[in-house]
Each structure stands twice: as C-alpha cells, then as structure tokens.
Amino acid sequence: MGGAFLAAAFLARLGGRIGLPTIPLFILAGILLGPHTPGIVLLSDPHDLEMLSALGLVLLLFYLGLEFHLDDLKAGGRKMAIAGGVYLLLNVGAGLGFGFALGWGTGEALVLAGVLGISSSAIVTKVLVDLGRIGNPETKPILGIIVVEDIFLALYLAALQPILSGADSLSAAVMDGGKAFGFLLLLALAARFGTKVIGRLMNTPDDELLVISFLGAAVFMAGVSEWFGVADAIGAFMVGLMLGSTTSGERILKLVHPLRDAFGAIFFFGFGLSIDPGDLPSVLWPVLAAVAVTLAMNVLAGLAAARIYDFGPGPAANISTTLLARGEFALILATMAAAAGLDNRLSPFIAGYVLVLAVLAPMVAGRSHLLARFLPKARKPEPVPSQVG
C-alpha cells in the first residue's frame, strides 16, 4: 500500500509538470505495477485493495454530497430530473443499440447499455475538484445528472441481475427494485426533514470526534445501501447531503479533504491494477467505435442540458466533457458479465473502453473551451412588445 501511494504520487508529480491530470496517472501507476505487466509487481491480486478502493469511492461521493446543498436540489429538482432523463435516454439508448449492432447477444447488449450509459461518479467528482469548477453554475446540473444516474443505477442493477442469472421470476425483480427505491425514498426523506436532528447528533467541538463520527456515518450508510441493492456511493452521497446542511458542514468539508485525496488515489490505482493491457488489441476497433458514440451522445446531452438551463456554449461544453468518463459501474458490470458466462470479449472490451475514457475525459474536460467554439450560441429571450395605450 505504501508503494501504491508513492508510485501514484511520483507519477502525479511528473505529470503535473507537463500539465496532465492526476486521474489517468494514478490509473497508469496501477497498470505498470500490477500483475498484468512485466517488472515490479506491488500487488498480484487487485482484490487486496478492494476495501480501500471502496473507501476511496465512498469518500469521493461523500464530499460531493457535502458540496451539493439541499436548497439546490429543492430549487432545481424538476430541471435536474429532465436533464438526467435526457442524458440517460441518449446514452443508455445508444449503448443498447451499439450492443445489438456488435451482435454478441441480448444479455451482452443489456450490459453494454449500462456500460456506455452511466458516467463515473468518482472521476466526475475528481475532475470538478481538480479543475476548480465546484462553484460553477453548470456544476449543479452535472451533479443532478449524477444523482439521476445513481437512482437509475439502483433500479437497473435490480432488474439486470435476474436476467443475467437466468431467473424468470418477474416478481423477484420487481421486489428487488421496490426495495431499492423504498430505501432511496427513506434517505431522501431523512435528508429533507431530519437535518436538524442529525446536526445535533453530529455536533462536537472536538475535530477528532467529528472525523470519526462523519467517517463512520458515511461508511456505515454505504454498507447499508449496498445491502438494500443501492450503490454504496449513493448512500455516502446522501449522508454528505445531510451533513452539508448542518452547522458542522463547513468543518467537515475541510476535515474530509485529505482523506478524500488519499483514498481517492488508491481507488484509481486499484482500478489500474484490474486492467490487463494484453487483452486490449483484440477489441480495439469496438472500443474506438464505442468511444466515438459516447463522445457524440455526451455532446448532444450537454447541449440539451444547456438548453434546459439557458446556458451558453461554454457551460454546455463543460457538461459534455465532465460527464464523459466511465469507470466503477462499468467494472461492476464486467464482473457480473463474467460470472454469468457471457461473451469472453466483453471483459476486455469494458476494460479498454473505460481506460480510454478515464484517460481522455479529464484531458478533454480541461480543454472544453475548444469544443465550445463549435457549439451553437444560447437562445436569446424574445423581447416583450411594449403596449401603447
């Protein structure tokens, strides 16, 4: 683990001198020092870092929840739902069509719909933080789309699991989906009405006790969420959402910073450990085609979100490029596909696709102004004719 931290830090320092973002460099460190490449092998089994990687994801999403205030959600909930729905319709729909076009099978197409359709919450969060865009106006719809994606993710996984396992019980799938949705509703109600009580329970002048308290709450709720069939990250996000509105919110935001950065690096390093570069050439052309489809759909989704919020080409380009990355959810689907005995090409395809976008997305997001030059201008409101009496 010490070697992982040092390798990630060394490559990040090196990349920082030439203007490269940290995310792909953390992933590259995992690839170079993992079991699939020659030379030094720090970890022969990527699962050795599984718990620490999960903690990194939890802290990244917990931080995102702290930044995402309840007032923002209440004020723009309808617009966020529409923007998120449009994003999913374009990307999941394109992913399903792409899956059927490959001709690998129906189960494979359903998996690819999720792989191409859902952004990486971890990478999106890191990009927003690294580029200093947390306070930008377009960040609210970006975070709103992530929330909508996570809700869809819970229902999608609940529906996909019985299909991949060969179960033919519709009632079991409906029950799993209902359980996940009910838990999400319970979290939303707690965030809406329980903030004062939670704030009193969490409040303490001692920083040590506060760190232990918020860390325990975030990790515990992540575990409970997973038990209910909801992504662990959304549970951590909801805890952050609740605590961000309390009197301790600002202190928690400062205290969680070093934890988020350290374990976030381990998350991306662990992601790199799971990638075998030797499998990638066999699926090179499908991967490049999928990346092109995702780029096109994200530009369309960014334009749609900008139209909903009356943004100009700059924010539209930021939305398109920030949401481009795919990551942790795609790897979960790759594991499910392998366990279900689906096409052997699926796992290397997902690894290659995620790797390309994990490297490309932060770099493209940092240069979104270049895309903005080619996007249409925002609509100007029509002047209201004056009435002459």
Side-chain angles (χ1 to χ4, degrees):
M1 181 179 167
F5 275 122
L6 290 173
F10 174 75
L11 282 179
R13 282 170 177 259
L14 202 63
R17 295 188 176 183
I18 54 176
L20 289 178
T22 58
I23 294 170
L25 295 169
F26 291 154
I27 295 171
L28 179 61
I31 294 173
L32 294 176
L33 298 172
H36 305 298
T37 51
I40 299 172
V41 177
L42 281 181
L43 287 162
S44 57
D45 186 357
H47 293 292
D48 289 344
L49 278 183
E50 190 170 12
M51 182 61 73
L52 294 173
S53 295
L55 181 58
L57 178 60
V58 163
L59 288 172
L60 282 166
L61 270 293
F62 174 71
Y63 179 85
L64 189 64
L66 288 170
E67 289 280 5
F68 192 82
H69 297 294
L70 277 171
D71 292 339
D72 297 334
L73 187 61
K74 286 184 283 188
R78 183 173 175 272
K79 286 184 177 180
M80 288 177 185
I82 295 172
V86 171
Y87 187 89
L88 287 171
L89 183 65
L90 288 170
N91 285 273
V92 175
L96 185 63
F98 181 82
F100 280 120
L102 283 180
W104 290 354
T106 302
E108 287 78 1
L110 291 171
V111 169
L112 288 173
V115 170
L116 271 67
I118 307 294
S119 305
S120 168
S121 300
I123 297 179
V124 168
T125 306
K126 191 71 166 60
V127 167
L128 289 172
V129 172
D130 286 354
L131 297 178
R133 293 180 180 170
I134 289 290
N136 285 15
E138 72 273 8
T139 297
K140 291 179 182 178
I142 289 172
L143 301 186
I145 289 171
I146 288 177
V147 172
V148 173
E149 283 185 321
D150 282 333
I151 294 171
F152 170 80
L153 169 59
L155 302 175
Y156 174 78
L157 283 177
L160 187 64
Q161 184 62 51
I163 295 173
L164 294 185
S165 63
D168 54 2
S169 173
L170 180 62
S171 60
V174 171
M175 187 176 295
D176 287 343
K179 184 173 73 171
F181 183 78
F183 180 69
L184 287 170
L185 183 61
L186 186 64
L187 286 179
L189 291 172
R192 175 66 179 87
F193 299 108
T195 304
K196 290 183 179 179
V197 176
I198 294 167
R200 284 197 294 268
L201 291 172
M202 194 64 58
N203 189 36
T204 173
D206 190 320
D207 283 351
E208 180 185 9
L209 290 178
L210 185 58
V211 169
I212 294 170
S213 299
F214 74 68
L215 188 60
V219 175
F220 178 77
M221 192 53 66
V224 173
S225 298
E226 202 169 52
W227 188 77
F228 273 96
V230 177
D232 52 3
I234 191 64
F237 175 87
M238 294 301 290
V239 173
L241 193 66
M242 297 175 205
L243 297 184
S245 301
T246 66
T247 54
S248 303
E250 289 297 324
R251 286 173 61 210
I252 294 173
L253 197 64
K254 293 178 181 177
L255 291 168
V256 78
H257 244 105
L259 293 169
R260 180 208 69 192
D261 290 341
F263 289 99
I266 290 297
F267 170 80
F268 295 112
F269 182 88
F271 175 40
L273 289 175
S274 65
I275 295 174
D276 184 354
D279 291 336
L280 303 182
S282 63
V283 290
L284 177 62
W285 293 112
V287 165
L288 294 178
V291 168
V293 168
T294 304
L295 283 167
M297 291 301 106
N298 269 259
V299 171
L300 291 176
L303 287 171
R307 179 66 63 91
I308 292 167
Y309 283 85
D310 293 323
F311 288 152
N318 287 347
I319 294 171
S320 301
T321 54
T322 304
L323 289 167
L324 185 60
R326 302 297 186 259
E328 61 278 0
F329 175 55
L331 297 180
I332 291 170
L333 284 176
T335 304
M336 290 174 61
L342 298 184
D343 196 297
N344 291 331
R345 292 169 290 185
L346 205 53
S347 290
F349 168 84
I350 293 173
Y353 171 74
V354 169
L355 177 62
V356 170
L357 285 181
V359 172
L360 185 65
M363 299 173 68
V364 171
R367 295 163 178 79
S368 59
H369 60 280
L370 300 176
L371 173 63
R373 297 176 184 175
F374 301 96
L375 298 182
K377 304 292 183 183
R379 294 177 302 173
K380 292 183 179 180
E382 294 183 6
V384 179
S386 58
Q387 295 180 357
V388 180

